[in-house]
Amino acid sequence: NKECEERMLYMINELKTCMEAAEKNYPNWGKGYLGGVPNSDKMWSDFKKGDFRVFNSAWVPFYNLHKIEAGLRDAWLYCGNEDARQLFIATCDWLIDIAANVSDEQLERLLGMEHGGVNEVLADAYHLFGDGKYIRAANKYSHQIMVENILRDDTHDFINNKNVNEATAKFLGYARISELKNEDKYNRAVNIYWNDAVDHRMTAISATGVNGFFQPVNKSTRFISEADGPDACGTYNMLKLAERLFDRVHSAQYADYYEGAILNHILGNQDPETGGYVYHTSLRPDTYRMYSKPNQAMWGCVGTGMESQAKYGDFIYTYDHDTLFVNLFIASELESDKIALRQETQFPYGQTSKITVKKNGNYVIAVRRPSWTNQDFDVKVNGKQPQKFKSTQKEVECYYVPCGKSWKEGDVIEVSYPMTLSFEECPRVPTYIALKYGPVVLAGVTEKSTSSKPFMNEYAGIGRRDHSNTSRQPQQSLALAPMLITERNQIPTRIKTKDIRQLTFIVDASAPGSQWKDVELQPLYTTHHSKYTVYWNQQNEAAHSSQPT
């Protein structure tokens, strides 16, 4: 809209002024520079001479530069702003120039500091402008030790204790370079990284990490014991990586992941009352979210939080060769020179989608069969099942159903994806489970915040650590949190529907010695300003009674 456009133009004009000032005031290194890192003059002057002491004591300089570069790239690509294009080129050239006298070995050591997706934007510059200097720079700014170590890691230990956001940004860069230059080692490294993160470390909300870091096997209980769970920045980058990997093979597994992440992590990441953002979404039983104070707290996951909220429309549909993939069940309209359709759905509060073709055309429409539905999943085109429709009774299989390739205006595809209650074990902590309805993670609401009794630091301050575990009110013992003490096959009998239109349920959490009885379940993304429980201690009575109090 006009207000957003005016704001963008204002920012670009200010950045242009800053770049001109940098070139004028710092002729030795300032041409093309855009950054707000303190003590920049000495840092970059020394950097060009091979003295990295100031750089190493600064707070992630390249990470900050990458965010500006990515914003300029997008302002040009999405809005056609020519000034943004020129500024983007200049910042990419600055990255090349500042490291011109820095050896690959020296830069490799410096890339141990978080640097965002510097290699990714340089690869984008190569794709956009065709100049080989940018792809060479992208490789130079790629942290090679990450690639080498993950390729020879058979134990899934290498990414232990690595920062999720930092590592994923690096692998995004490798993926982008390999798209353009078909680098086999990057391809293999990215696939290993994805499989390790998703298959071995992913929580029920399609996010991973505690306080932003991958956890070793022997510390997996920290998902439960620590209040600082996965951070939004890491999930945002995993969403981008899912898109890149999908582009290679068009596997529904990536769309399944994407759906779970935006529905269960990103959607609940913004305060509906103030617009503030959550840094770490806690998975510890009986705890709460902490939100940034708008216009005050600009943590890393606040800036990325703004980008994350734009991801809902990114991946509903993708097109490759002659196939349109319907990846997500989100009410939407799609229109291009070749394709026009409308999807109507109440998902996740409804279990059907109606896709109406709005323009004649010849292309395949492929609809995702998600892993969370059951054998009653159904697709009909103008009332009939497609000839290639594949029926299955497997509960965890996802794939695409091709629905034909000759379309007339008014043709209708009806999709039915029944949802059922299920549970999912915490990674490597099987005694704790999360409850789900279809793809929706359900949380037990244990206490509401009120104006007269707010939670401690519910709106956190401007400091970098003000969102941390130590800023929350003291945590009660996990033994006091609601539990599910019953045989696992009896869990469904403990859950009753309250209002299926709102996806609310009641779970019987009564247990010997526990204060809890009936606890309301609702989608995690609706549990704002509440204490909630995602992971439930689930044991039978014999196992529970044998544990010390």
Side-chain angles (χ1 to χ4, degrees):
N1 59 30
K2 186 174 179 58
E3 183 178 351
C4 289
E5 181 182 12
E6 289 175 350
R7 182 175 294 187
M8 181 193 74
L9 292 173
Y10 167 77
M11 289 190 289
I12 290 172
N13 286 333
E14 292 296 301
L15 289 170
K16 186 177 181 181
T17 300
C18 291
M19 183 177 285
E20 290 170 350
E23 182 175 0
K24 177 182 178 181
N25 296 326
Y26 309 109
N28 291 331
W29 60 267
K31 183 179 180 180
Y33 179 71
L34 275 178
V37 184
N39 206 15
S40 284
D41 186 17
K42 182 167 178 54
M43 176 170 60
W44 298 121
S45 296
D46 289 353
F47 190 100
K48 289 199 73 169
K49 294 182 291 186
D51 183 345
F52 309 117
R53 287 174 295 179
V54 179
F55 177 89
N56 286 326
S57 65
W59 183 249
V60 294
F62 284 135
Y63 182 98
N64 290 294
L65 292 164
H66 162 248
K67 287 295 185 183
I68 295 171
E69 291 175 308
L72 292 169
R73 175 202 59 200
D74 293 347
W76 170 45
L77 292 178
Y78 296 126
C79 304
N81 187 276
E82 183 60 25
D83 282 340
R85 177 181 182 272
Q86 294 300 326
L87 292 173
F88 174 62
I89 293 172
T91 56
C92 291
D93 289 344
W94 181 88
L95 279 172
I96 294 172
D97 181 67
I98 199 69
N101 297 319
V102 178
S103 70
D104 291 350
E105 292 75 16
Q106 288 174 315
L107 190 58
E108 172 72 11
R109 289 193 293 271
L110 299 177
L111 293 175
M113 182 190 294
E114 187 171 9
H115 53 275
V118 172
N119 54 351
E120 182 188 16
V121 294
L122 287 165
D124 286 340
Y126 168 72
H127 174 71
L128 293 166
F129 309 123
D131 193 325
K133 68 180 181 180
Y134 295 121
I135 198 67
R136 291 191 293 272
N139 276 300
K140 185 168 182 174
Y141 276 97
S142 289
H143 200 198
Q144 297 300 324
I145 192 68
M146 295 288 286
V147 177
E148 294 166 6
N149 282 341
I150 206 162
L151 286 176
R152 59 172 173 251
D153 177 30
D154 297 325
T155 62
H156 301 292
D157 287 339
F158 171 64
I159 63 174
N160 288 345
N161 302 310
K162 298 286 190 299
N163 183 289
V164 178
N165 180 47
E166 177 183 352
T168 310
K170 294 176 182 179
F171 281 89
L172 264 171
Y174 309 144
R176 184 63 174 130
I177 295 169
S178 66
E179 285 176 7
L180 299 170
K181 301 297 288 184
N182 195 25
E183 293 280 357
D184 179 64
K185 68 173 183 178
Y186 287 165
N187 277 324
R188 290 185 290 118
V190 169
N191 286 329
I192 293 170
Y193 179 77
W194 175 271
N195 292 335
D196 192 350
V198 174
D199 294 344
H200 299 281
R201 305 170 187 272
M202 203 57 59
T203 66
I205 67 171
S206 296
T208 192
V210 174
N211 192 22
F213 291 86
F214 287 112
Q215 297 303 298
V217 173
N218 63 354
K219 292 186 178 179
S220 295
T221 54
R222 296 186 72 215
F223 282 123
I224 306 302
S225 63
E226 296 296 317
D228 285 348
D231 71 42
C233 296
T235 298
Y236 171 75
N237 276 332
M238 285 294 290
L239 287 169
K240 291 177 63 179
L241 189 55
E243 292 175 273
R244 293 220 177 278
L245 292 173
F246 177 85
D247 285 344
R248 294 179 180 179
V249 295
H250 306 119
S251 171
Q253 65 166 309
Y254 301 115
D256 264 27
Y257 168 81
Y258 196 103
E259 178 180 69
I262 62 169
L263 192 61
N264 297 309
H265 192 190
I266 301 304
L267 187 58
N269 199 53
Q270 186 173 26
D271 179 15
E273 295 182 11
T274 69
Y277 295 95
V278 178
Y279 205 124
H280 298 119
T281 296
S282 181
L283 299 177
R284 178 188 167 96
D286 197 24
T287 191
Y288 58 95
R289 293 179 174 92
M290 297 174 69
Y291 309 96
S292 63
K293 292 180 180 178
N295 301 318
Q296 294 184 47
M298 289 301 293
W299 318 321
C301 281
V302 172
T304 306
M306 298 176 192
E307 297 179 83
S308 299
Q309 297 304 312
K311 296 302 288 181
Y312 307 114
D314 267 10
F315 195 60
I316 303 173
Y317 312 100
T318 52
Y319 186 79
D320 186 59
H321 298 299
D322 66 342
T323 301
L324 175 72
F325 295 92
V326 181
N327 300 317
L328 303 176
F329 305 117
I330 295 177
S332 53
E333 293 190 8
L334 175 67
E335 185 169 0
S336 69
D337 293 341
K338 184 177 179 180
I339 298 170
L341 57 81
R342 179 177 68 245
Q343 181 177 179
E344 299 169 90
T345 179
Q346 297 297 314
F347 177 88
Y349 298 100
Q351 303 181 25
T352 61
S353 283
K354 177 183 176 183
I355 300 168
T356 304
V357 176
K358 309 296 287 185
K359 184 183 293 186
N360 295 350
N362 292 295
Y363 53 89
V364 175
I365 296 180
V367 176
R368 178 174 63 100
R369 191 272 193 199
S371 62
W372 43 260
T373 192
N374 60 25
Q375 65 268 23
D376 294 324
F377 171 78
D378 192 36
V379 178
K380 286 186 170 63
V381 179
N382 297 328
K384 298 180 180 180
Q385 284 189 341
Q387 288 185 346
K388 293 184 179 180
F389 176 68
K390 178 182 177 184
S391 180
T392 181
Q393 294 194 8
K394 293 182 179 180
E395 296 180 356
V396 294
E397 186 173 353
C398 56
Y399 52 84
Y400 284 90
V401 178
C403 297
K405 59 180 180 180
S406 181
W407 300 98
K408 294 181 179 178
E409 181 178 355
D411 284 344
V412 173
I413 302 172
E414 296 172 289
V415 190
S416 175
Y417 34 81
M419 301 181 192
T420 56
L421 285 164
S422 64
F423 63 84
E424 183 176 317
E425 293 179 353
C426 180
R428 299 162 173 166
V429 193
T431 55
Y432 277 83
I433 63 170
L435 302 175
K436 302 177 75 173
Y437 185 70
V440 179
V441 171
L442 302 172
V445 177
T446 55
E447 184 181 345
K448 297 276 189 180
S449 174
T450 64
S451 56
S452 60
K453 189 183 177 183
F455 301 139
M456 178 180 171
N457 285 336
E458 189 173 3
Y459 290 105
I462 63 175
R464 185 170 64 86
R465 303 306 303 167
D466 285 355
H467 55 75
S468 70
N469 185 26
T470 55
S471 298
R472 284 185 175 86
Q473 64 192 48
Q475 302 292 321
Q476 295 191 88
S477 167
L478 290 172
L480 300 177
M483 297 176 282
L484 290 174
I485 305 305
T486 186
E487 297 293 339
R488 189 155 285 189
N489 62 6
Q490 293 299 306
I491 292 173
T493 67
R494 292 285 192 110
I495 302 173
K496 307 298 181 185
T497 301
K498 180 180 180 182
D499 186 350
I500 198 62
R501 296 168 300 179
Q502 299 298 318
L503 301 187
T504 55
F505 304 83
I506 300 295
V507 60
D508 177 4
S510 58
S514 173
Q515 62 165 324
W516 300 101
K517 296 188 183 301
D518 288 345
V519 176
E520 181 171 322
L521 295 172
Q522 62 188 65
L524 174 62
Y525 57 77
T526 66
T527 58
H528 289 285
H529 304 287
S530 303
K531 288 186 178 180
Y532 58 85
T533 291
V534 168
Y535 280 118
W536 304 71
N537 184 354
Q538 191 281 309
Q539 304 177 67
N540 61 30
E541 289 192 17
H544 175 62
S545 61
S546 66
Q547 291 184 338
T549 304

